[in-house]
Structures are given as structure tokens and as C-alpha cells.
């Protein structure tokens, strides 16, 4: 149902057999200039708001669903993060470029999930034929996403398998039911690629010693950890610590048990709230030393700020614009967190 398409993905191999993952994000900063009425309104809103049957967008629909949206078969301006990864999914090189892209297909998660499941795919010959030209790439993407997710988990990233509820509305916008929505392979694939790009951009700016609106998530407080320990003790589980591996051990222990959902929710509530900050404080939940939001500038103001910083660097305009952007970062981080 989405009409504001921020992101597109591509994957190929280089001459050395390494993965080259492209995450291409709508270049909203080209159209929304700092200090304009458009920008001031986006700043006030901070984010698009999604209701059960409608969206209150951060930007006017002519931009969010129109010229900024990476619609299929049309040229669109983008910022492309091209990551060279080893067969084990380790980042060995990257390039960030202003680009013009033409999205080949506008995929849906459901169609992708069918295509990535060999059994279901066999029962959907029309779908298989329709997407035959990109099916090998989709399968490669799925394989790489699994490698990236496993790598993140090994370093201590939390795998919170929470269920999302979708409110179903009739044609008048009246809620008529609630359906559970679980993540399929395609949702996990896109999530893995967006996390990789967000991390890569944050590391790029940190290495260049340039400002960034970081997405930070601090370690749980002693008070929250103690409360979680008390909650899980009657279930027969002794929580040793509040580091990523200890919390993941608890989640793994609860898997398949009747209390799995409750334990997952308890762990989630024991964590600190993620927020935006001009200082890099790391991201505990993702076990990432350096993380930002780069992938959704159509619907989030902090991503737009990160794009402006990258664009000033890419255009060689840091001397003229750097001071103003540096001063704007802490204000934008606070405003984005509050919104």
C-alpha cells in the first residue's frame, strides 16, 4: 500500500567474486532546501505519521509520492551507497555517490516471499514467469541477507521476533478487524540491507570527522536490568547480565515456549529508548558501534539531515556549508527525538 518509495536495492559480483550491494535512496535534499517553507514544515512534523488507513506525510504528496519516490521505469535522483562485501558479508570497501537510477520493478513483500520460497514459487507459475529476469538476483540477495543477519547476531545484536498487528479498515475507514503480520524472508532481506547502509554511512562520516545525526541506543540501566531479572526468575530463568549475548540467550531459551511472546516483550521493555544524538554513543540493540538513519528521507527528518551533510561533502561545498550544518545537527537530533 506504500506510495512513498524511499529505497531501491541492487546486487552483483565484482571481478574478485565479492558482493557489490547497492542501496539507493531518494535524494530528497535536492528538492527540499534548508530554511525554505518546505523544510520548516518538515522540521515541525519530524516524521510522516502512519495510521491504519491513511498517512499524514512529512512532505507534500507531489514530492513524497511523486518526484522523490523511486517509482519503477522512471529516472529518479538518488544517493547511492555501494558496499563491497566479502563472501562472509564483511564490508571491505564502499562508495557513496549522487546518482540517477531507474528502478526496474516495484516489488511487494508478499510477492517476494512467494518467489523466495521454492515450494510456494512452484505453485505460482505466473509470478515466476513475471519476475524471471530478477529471480537469480533475488535469490542472491536472500543468501547475502542471511549472512549479514547471522554476522550481526554473532556480534551481539538482538533478534527480537515481535509480532506486528495490522488494523483492517473498511472503505469508510472504520476498523473492522486486526490481523497479525509476521516478518517473511523479503522483510528480513530489506531490513538487513538497510541496516548495512545506515551503518556504512555512519562509519563514513565518523571516519571523515564530519558531523552526523546518529541513531543511538544506550545499554540498559541497572534498574531496568534488575526489574527484568525479577520478572523472568519465576519462569525458571536466571539472567546473568544485561549485555547483548545474555539477553539473546534469554530470548533463545524462551523460543517455542508458551511464554515466548511475554519474554520478548519484557526484554523489549527493559531496553533504553533509542533516540537521535549528535554524539556517537553506539547502538546497543544492533550491537553497532556506529549507526545512523540514512534510508528514509521522504518520511524522517534526521535522514534528510544526513543527506545534506553527505551532499555538501560530495559537491565539495563543505567550506561554505559545513559550519551551518554542524550547528544544525544537535538541534535536529533533539527535534527528531521529540517528534
Amino acid at each position: 500500500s506504500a506510495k512513498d518509495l524511499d529505497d531501491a536495492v541492487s546486487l552483483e559480483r565484482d571481478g574478485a567474486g565479492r558482493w557489490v550491494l547497492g542501496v539507493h535512496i531518494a535524494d530528497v535534499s535536492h528538492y527540499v532546501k534548508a530554511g525554505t517553507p518546505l523544510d520548516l514544515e518538515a522540521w515541525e512534523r519530524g516524521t510522516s505519521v502512519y495510521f491504519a488507513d491513511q498517512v499524514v506525510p512529512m512532505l507534500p504528496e507531489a514530492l513524497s509520492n511523486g518526484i522523490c519516490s523511486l517509482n519503477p521505469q522512471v529516472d529518479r535522483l538518488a544517493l547511492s551507497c555501494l558496499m563491497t562485501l566479502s563472501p562472509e558479508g564483511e564490508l571491505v570497501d564502499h562508495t557513496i555517490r549522487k546518482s540517477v537510477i531507474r528502478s526496474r520493478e516495484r516489488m511487494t513483500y508478499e510477492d517476494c516471499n512467494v518467489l523466495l520460497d521454492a515450494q510456494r514459487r512452484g505453485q505460482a507459475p505466473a509470478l515466476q514467469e513475471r519476475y524471471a529476469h530478477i529471480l537469480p538476483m533475488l535469490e542472491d540477495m536472500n543468501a547475502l541477507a542471511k549472512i549479514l543477519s547471522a554476522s550481526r547476531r554473532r556480534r551481539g545484536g538482538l533478534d527480537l521476533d515481535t509480532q506486528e498487528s495490522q488494523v483492517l479498515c473498511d472503505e469508510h475507514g472504520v476498523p473492522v478487524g486486526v490481523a497479525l503480520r509476521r516478518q517473511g524472508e523479503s522483510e528480513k532481506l530489506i531490513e538487513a540491507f538497510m541496516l548495512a547502509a545506515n551503518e556504512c554511512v555512519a562509519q563514513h562520516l565518523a571516519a571523515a570527522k564530519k558531523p552526523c545525526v546518529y541513531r543511538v541506543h544506550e545499554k540498559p540501566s541497572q534498574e531496568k536490568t534488575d526489574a527484568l531479572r525479577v520478572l523472568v526468575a519465576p519462569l525458571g530463568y536466571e539472567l546473568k547480565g544485561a549485555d547483548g549475548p545474555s539477553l539473546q540467550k534469554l530470548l533463545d531459551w524462551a523460543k517455542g515456549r508458551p511464554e515466548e511472546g511475554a519474554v520478548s516483550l519484557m526484554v523489549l521493555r527493559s531496553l533504553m529508548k533509542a533516540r537521535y544524538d549528535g554524539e556517537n554513543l553506539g547502538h546497543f540493540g544492533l550491537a553497532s558501534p556506529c549507526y545512523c538513519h540514512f534510508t528514509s528521507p521522504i518520511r524522517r527528518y534526521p535522514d534528510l539531515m544526513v543527506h545534506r551533510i553527505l551532499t555538501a561533502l560530495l559537491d565539495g561545498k563543505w567550506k561554505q556549508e559545513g559550519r551551518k550544518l554542524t550547528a544544525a545537527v544537535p538541534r535536529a537530533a533533539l527535534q527528531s527525538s521529540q517528534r
Side-chain angles (χ1 to χ4, degrees), residues 270-284:
S270 77
L271 301 175
M272 304 296 279
K273 276 187 178 174
R275 59 187 176 85
Y276 297 100
D277 202 292
E279 190 184 342
N280 177 26
L281 303 171
H283 197 294
F284 174 80

Side-chain angles (χ1 to χ4, degrees), residues 236-298:
Y237 191 88
E238 187 189 346
L239 182 67
K240 296 275 197 294
D243 55 291
S246 297
L247 291 175
Q248 188 58 52
K249 222 176 246 184
L250 168 59
L251 292 167
D252 290 342
W253 171 83
K255 261 198 172 49
R257 293 170 181 259
E259 60 268 30
E260 180 181 355
V263 170
S264 197
L265 196 60
M266 285 179 204
V267 171
L268 188 62
R269 288 185 172 175
S270 77
L271 301 175
M272 304 296 279
K273 276 187 178 174
R275 59 187 176 85
Y276 297 100
D277 202 292
E279 190 184 342
N280 177 26
L281 303 171
H283 197 294
F284 174 80
L286 296 171
S288 176
C290 198
Y291 191 74
C292 75
H293 274 167
F294 155 76
T295 54
S296 293
I298 289 176

